[in-house]
Amino acid sequence: MIDRRGQAACPVLPGSGEGVAGAVRWRVVLAAAAAMTVEGYDLGVYGSVLPLLTADRGLGLTTGAAGLVGSAVFCGMLVGGLTVGRLAARLTQLRVLRWGILVFSGAMLAAGLAPNAGWLGAARLVAGTALGVVMPICMAMARSASGLRLGPLCISLVMGGIPAGGIIATCLSYLCVSWTGWRVLFAVGALLGPAVLPVVVGVMRSGAADPPPRPSRDVTARRGVVTRGVVQPAIAGALATFFFLLSFYGLVTWLTKLMTEIRVPLDGALQLTLVLNIGAVIGSALTGLLAMRYGAWALTVVSGTACAVCLVLVPSGLFSGVPLMVLVALLGMFSPSTQNLVNSLVADSVGPSLRAAVLGVTLGVGRLGAVAAPVIGSFLLLRAGRGQGLASPAGAVFLAFAASCVAGVAAACWLGVLARRGRALEAAR
């Protein structure tokens, strides 16, 4: 804590990053963002090459099966998110992070070698399990490396690595897929993990990120307090995560396909996917900065509402050309930002020793929304009416994602109350 004269009012643990508003260990934040960029490439490459996957007759991937394979990675992330707390407690966060990066890199290589849809789905499941372990560890390390005031910004920057990886995947797909085929793009993803691993591990091992302190016995003995302080944020965070991830990863998986469904050429659809990811990178940084002034809670409500509006307007038929591109860019800015801010609210709701575990639970259970998104997309594309605009199958998918955003805003309002309580307790320490 800092008194009015700027002097330390109470000692701050070395490397804790807590208590000093501007004490941010940026090396940790950037290393975590690099790891998330690799994850973003893995998540983005499938959606970018999905039209080619369904066109590959040797692979045998139908539109319905594409939704199931797309969901496999998120099923794995559910498993990884629910087990990360126990694994980190037993093996340390650094070891789990290292093995997580290596495993999903190997799974990416296996996906590139897939002879059929079943093999591809299994590889995506393994990759998702490793990704589900890496994400909460990266966010917990970044939050512990940041001060109370800069926490939302640092988490937003780390999560900005996901759309940054999506940009890389989309650019490579746009430039190379016509002459390299889709398998090479998965092989590139398999090489990215080992490329960033020495840097990430070196930063974390250097002592830039200290492990969070274990909860004291007197705190853990008060089960009622622990229940209110942990279970409620976990439930609220899981609900908000479910609805926001359903919307965001539904777009990541289906945007290229949806654009072709509304008669946008494949090159144009890939360009719009690139615009979506560029907007997501900009939005992650911008909302993080705005959250420092207006609060993560307010920005979550605004971003979620704006995302729902954009999702209704994209398939409406009212926009085309440059206006449509601007609308997709705004959608990219708002859609992932909602989840970034939810992660920040969850981190603020609990103490440092519980962040990785609670984030793992909220992201793990919330991954069910990401699991449902590709399946919902394929179901609506196959079963919805054959009208135009919002009445088209693509329009039905966009409307489903918009409704999910509205529900996410409602859950985030509850989480915001819990986060405000947690921040008050942390500031009082």
Side-chain angles (χ1 to χ4, degrees):
M1 297 292 293
I2 305 298
D3 64 16
R4 295 181 180 177
R5 296 171 296 177
Q7 303 296 321
C10 63
V12 179
L13 294 176
S16 67
E18 307 291 347
V20 182
V24 179
R25 290 164 296 179
W26 290 108
R27 288 193 303 164
V28 177
V29 175
L30 295 177
M36 297 306 294
T37 300
V38 178
E39 178 169 343
Y41 181 94
D42 176 87
L43 294 173
V45 71
Y46 179 80
S48 295
V49 302
L50 186 56
L52 296 179
L53 292 174
T54 55
D56 188 339
R57 295 184 179 180
L59 191 62
L61 187 68
T62 64
T63 300
L68 295 176
V69 172
S71 295
V73 68
F74 303 118
C75 289
M77 294 178 84
L78 167 62
V79 176
L82 293 178
T83 58
V84 64
R86 185 179 297 273
L87 289 174
R90 180 173 298 180
L91 302 176
T92 74
Q93 289 185 352
L94 182 60
R95 289 181 181 176
V96 175
L97 180 64
R98 181 195 302 127
W99 282 107
I101 293 175
L102 290 176
V103 169
F104 73 63
S105 298
M108 283 285 287
L109 180 60
L113 299 174
N116 52 57
W119 179 300
L120 180 63
R124 299 295 289 165
L125 179 67
V126 174
T129 302
L131 295 173
V133 167
V134 169
M135 181 181 289
I137 289 180
C138 286
M139 285 191 293
M141 287 181 168
R143 179 60 182 83
S144 294
S146 62
L148 182 62
R149 179 170 174 265
L150 295 178
L153 174 61
C154 290
I155 288 183
S156 293
L157 291 176
V158 170
M159 295 302 294
I162 292 181
I167 289 175
I168 297 173
T170 304
C171 286
L172 288 179
S173 299
Y174 181 75
L175 296 174
C176 306
V177 74
S178 61
W179 55 276
T180 64
W182 62 268
R183 296 182 185 274
V184 173
L185 297 178
F186 280 93
V188 171
L191 296 176
L192 288 177
V196 304
L197 184 60
V199 177
V200 173
V201 172
V203 169
M204 303 306 181
R205 183 182 291 161
S206 69
D210 299 327
R214 294 181 178 273
S216 60
R217 293 182 179 180
D218 61 321
V219 173
T220 57
R222 294 179 294 173
R223 299 185 182 274
V225 175
V226 171
T227 298
R228 292 193 302 272
V230 175
V231 174
Q232 289 183 11
I235 294 174
L239 287 173
T241 300
F242 175 90
F243 292 116
F244 286 139
L245 289 188
L246 192 156
S247 174
F248 176 58
Y249 284 117
L251 285 173
V252 169
T253 302
W254 285 110
L255 183 64
T256 304
K257 180 71 173 177
L258 291 174
M259 290 296 101
T260 60
E261 288 287 326
I262 58 176
R263 299 180 181 179
V264 176
L266 179 59
D267 286 351
L270 286 172
Q271 290 174 4
L272 288 174
T273 303
L274 176 61
V275 168
L276 179 81
N277 284 301
I278 292 175
V281 173
I282 297 173
S284 295
L286 182 61
T287 54
L289 290 170
L290 291 175
M292 294 170 55
R293 179 176 179 84
Y294 300 106
W297 187 6
L299 263 294
T300 304
V301 174
V302 172
S303 295
T305 303
C307 180
V309 172
C310 290
L311 284 166
V312 173
L313 293 178
V314 167
S316 66
L318 300 175
F319 300 89
S320 62
V322 174
L324 179 61
M325 187 172 295
V326 172
L327 192 62
V328 171
L330 292 174
L331 182 59
M333 293 178 65
F334 293 128
S335 182
S337 297
T338 53
Q339 183 55 46
N340 297 347
L341 294 167
V342 166
N343 294 332
S344 178
L345 291 173
V346 172
D348 287 346
S349 300
V350 297
S353 63
L354 297 170
R355 279 179 186 144
V358 175
L359 282 168
V361 170
T362 59
L363 288 169
V365 176
R367 289 292 167 192
L368 292 173
V371 171
V375 178
I376 290 173
S378 62
F379 176 82
L380 291 176
L381 284 175
L382 291 172
R383 301 295 180 88
R386 297 295 168 181
Q388 298 294 323
L390 292 173
S392 68
V397 177
F398 278 110
L399 287 176
F401 295 160
S404 184
C405 276
V406 174
V409 169
C413 289
W414 178 22
L415 181 61
V417 175
L418 301 175
R420 178 178 295 179
R421 182 190 306 163
R423 288 174 64 88
L425 291 174
E426 183 174 353
R429 290 172 185 169

